[in-house]
Amino acid sequence: MATRWFLGALLSVLPTLAVAAGAAPPIPDTPAGHALDSWLTVFNNGDRAGIEGFVRSRASWLNLDAHMTWRAQTGGYDLLAIFSSDPTDVVFLLKARATPGEEIGRVTVSATNPTQITELGTFFFPAGATFIGFRVDDATRRKVVDTSIAKMTDLYVFPDVGKKMAQQLAKREKEGAYRGKDGETLAKLLTADLQGISHDKHLRVNFRPFELPPLPQAVVGHPQPEPIDCHFVKAERLPKNIGYLKIDGFVNSDECVQQAIGAMAFLAHVDALIFDMRDNGGGGGGAGGLLLSYLFDTPTRLSDYYDRRTGQTEHGWTSANVPGTRLASIPVYVLISHATFSMGEWFTFQLQRSKRATVVGEVSAGGAHTTETEVIDDRFSIRVPFGRPFDPVTNTDWEGVGIAPDVKVPAADAMAAAVKLATEALRQREH
């Protein structure tokens, strides 16, 4: 995701802002402003002990390790402007020191004494975007709720669950649960209500407080191809002729299929193979299925796939033909973590259910469903799961539960564990 934000509501935002170059703006002399000042000081200092003390005393709900990762990624922030402020809430513009672009941040504190930070986070503000703000009128609010109800009724992969979610949203709307909420809060409340019934991690109402800039006319009329990141991070041969392929996502493009073919050509003569899916957040396309096809001698049944939109179920199979050399007889290992999601889990699921690979690491995130995004207006959209892959024998998938590894170890130790397993397997083959 391109956002770092948490639960919260923005009370008011200026629609435009001219940011003057030079000194940072004064931080408001309010409880929220003081919290912002304290956070920026310890965050920019980067000292773990200082940040840990801040978390303990002011925001115990924050995850310290995640916060330290955030600090490492950004290198700290420079404060560019204050968008809005009241005693318990401040919205501001930041520039990360280690990454390009600007971010809008928000700090909200409790009204109690001593104050506690209840929300803190940022999201990226695209260059050229028009800031609209977080406030929404009643007509927009009703449209968002009504659209969400309709999509659950008409599209959600399980009709009975979709009906329950639609009824819940209608009930909550009648009770006034969404009345008077700003855009961010409304999206988060709807998401929580929907996921509270479905436990579906793909299902989400999204909000952004800006409108993206229009494409230049030259781009509209004659789109220029952009370089594609296929997320094939590393392919290498390890000692003992163990192959290693790290894939952090799957992209639906011919170029990525060619990269998959190239990776397997490079690894064509390894004696064991490790797929690293620990940072694979999902995606789509044919590269995943093609990679699987290299690991079987003959067409092999994969999971089936149901599409609510058509009512049809398709049967999945590996490809009968692949370019290059098959690796159907070598030991295969798949590394997963709590972050492995969606298509990364699909790839792992196929190899585990067919007993073609040993899965090493942590229980994965648990997102099985396929989705489409419905644009509601210039700030709201809803991501609706409409299909599911499933084991044709057990009728099960990994939605909400994740994939349990065959060898359970912390994700950081999964690589060493897999290399050890592969080395032992190869040693036994020699005897």
Side-chain angles (χ1 to χ4, degrees):
M1 293 178 57
T3 58
R4 297 187 201 91
W5 45 260
F6 302 88
L7 290 175
L10 182 61
L11 301 179
S12 62
V13 171
L14 298 178
T16 59
L17 180 68
V19 180
I27 295 178
D29 184 15
T30 64
H34 298 161
L36 168 61
D37 192 22
S38 298
W39 172 71
L40 271 178
T41 298
V42 298
F43 190 83
N44 285 342
N45 181 272
D47 176 64
R48 185 181 179 91
I51 294 178
E52 183 176 12
F54 174 83
V55 168
R56 284 182 178 176
S57 62
R58 304 297 301 275
S60 59
W61 53 274
L62 283 173
N63 181 289
L64 177 61
D65 289 336
H67 219 68
M68 294 304 300
T69 299
W70 180 9
R71 171 61 176 79
Q73 290 172 342
T74 60
Y77 286 113
D78 293 320
L79 181 66
L80 301 183
I82 300 295
F83 274 3
S84 68
S85 173
D86 65 33
T88 61
D89 189 272
V90 59
V91 181
F92 43 91
L93 187 66
L94 297 170
K95 173 68 178 70
R97 294 171 178 172
T99 58
E102 296 176 350
E103 300 175 35
I104 295 172
R106 178 170 179 258
V107 169
T108 302
V109 300
S110 64
T112 59
N113 189 16
T115 60
Q116 290 292 301
I117 294 176
T118 57
E119 288 133 47
L120 185 158
T122 71
F123 59 86
F124 293 110
F125 185 48
T130 301
F131 200 91
I132 302 174
F134 285 64
R135 285 190 177 277
V136 294
D137 57 26
D138 289 338
T140 299
R141 197 173 296 111
R142 283 194 299 271
K143 181 179 180 182
V144 174
V145 175
D146 290 346
T147 301
S148 300
I149 290 172
K151 294 302 174 184
M152 294 306 100
T153 302
D154 299 337
L155 274 183
Y156 188 70
V157 58
F158 296 115
D160 56 338
V161 178
K163 182 179 179 180
K164 289 179 182 178
M165 288 190 289
Q167 291 172 339
Q168 173 70 357
L169 295 195
K171 177 176 178 287
R172 295 270 287 158
E173 169 73 354
K174 187 175 181 180
E175 293 170 348
Y178 310 128
R179 192 175 305 134
K181 306 303 182 185
D182 66 57
E184 184 185 1
T185 302
L186 176 62
K188 290 179 180 295
L189 283 174
L190 289 170
T191 298
D193 288 343
L194 292 169
Q195 291 187 354
I197 293 174
S198 66
H199 307 291
D200 191 323
K201 296 183 179 181
H202 277 110
L203 176 55
R204 180 172 297 278
V205 177
N206 298 305
F207 171 82
R208 64 186 184 201
F210 55 81
E211 183 178 7
L212 293 172
L215 291 173
Q217 191 60 40
V219 175
V220 173
H222 304 282
Q224 297 297 315
E226 296 184 0
I228 296 174
D229 181 0
C230 296
H231 304 294
F232 283 75
V233 177
K234 182 186 293 186
E236 61 181 338
R237 297 187 188 92
L238 306 174
K240 306 294 184 182
N241 201 29
I242 298 170
Y244 173 78
L245 181 57
K246 179 172 173 56
I247 308 171
D248 287 356
F250 290 102
V251 177
N252 188 15
S253 81
D254 292 340
E255 180 178 332
C256 295
V257 168
Q258 291 304 313
Q259 284 196 21
I261 294 171
M264 295 308 289
F266 174 75
L267 299 168
H269 302 293
V270 296
D271 294 322
L273 181 55
I274 298 171
F275 290 98
D276 191 345
M277 300 284 165
R278 287 176 292 181
D279 297 312
N280 192 305
L290 177 62
L291 289 171
L292 291 173
S293 298
Y294 279 93
L295 306 178
F296 298 90
D297 274 330
T298 59
T300 301
R301 184 77 174 267
L302 300 176
S303 58
D304 286 352
Y305 177 74
Y306 168 74
D307 189 327
R308 165 89 190 269
R309 300 170 304 177
T310 64
Q312 301 297 310
T313 297
E314 298 177 358
H315 306 305
W317 292 84
T318 59
S319 299
N321 299 299
V322 296
T325 304
R326 291 183 184 269
L327 299 173
S329 61
I330 67 170
V332 176
Y333 304 86
V334 183
L335 314 183
I336 62 173
S337 73
H338 296 320
T340 307
F341 189 62
S342 194
M343 187 70 178
E345 293 176 290
W346 177 87
F347 182 89
T348 305
F349 183 76
Q350 310 308 320
L351 292 175
Q352 187 181 59
R353 66 170 292 275
S354 63
K355 303 187 186 304
R356 181 61 188 90
T358 301
V359 179
V360 183
E362 302 166 339
V363 177
S364 62
H369 297 159
T370 53
T371 67
E372 69 177 18
T373 297
E374 175 79 13
V375 175
I376 300 175
D377 67 6
D378 55 1
R379 292 184 291 172
F380 285 94
S381 64
I382 181 169
R383 190 181 186 190
V384 186
F386 64 83
R388 64 181 286 253
F390 61 93
D391 187 310
V393 177
T394 64
N395 195 37
T396 59
D397 59 42
W398 61 94
E399 182 65 45
V401 296
I403 295 172
D406 302 307
V407 178
K408 189 174 183 179
V409 296
D413 300 330
M415 181 64 179
V419 169
K420 183 177 180 180
L421 289 168
T423 302
E424 177 60 22
L426 295 176
R427 187 189 68 79
Q428 291 182 6
R429 286 192 171 195
E430 291 174 357
H431 292 82

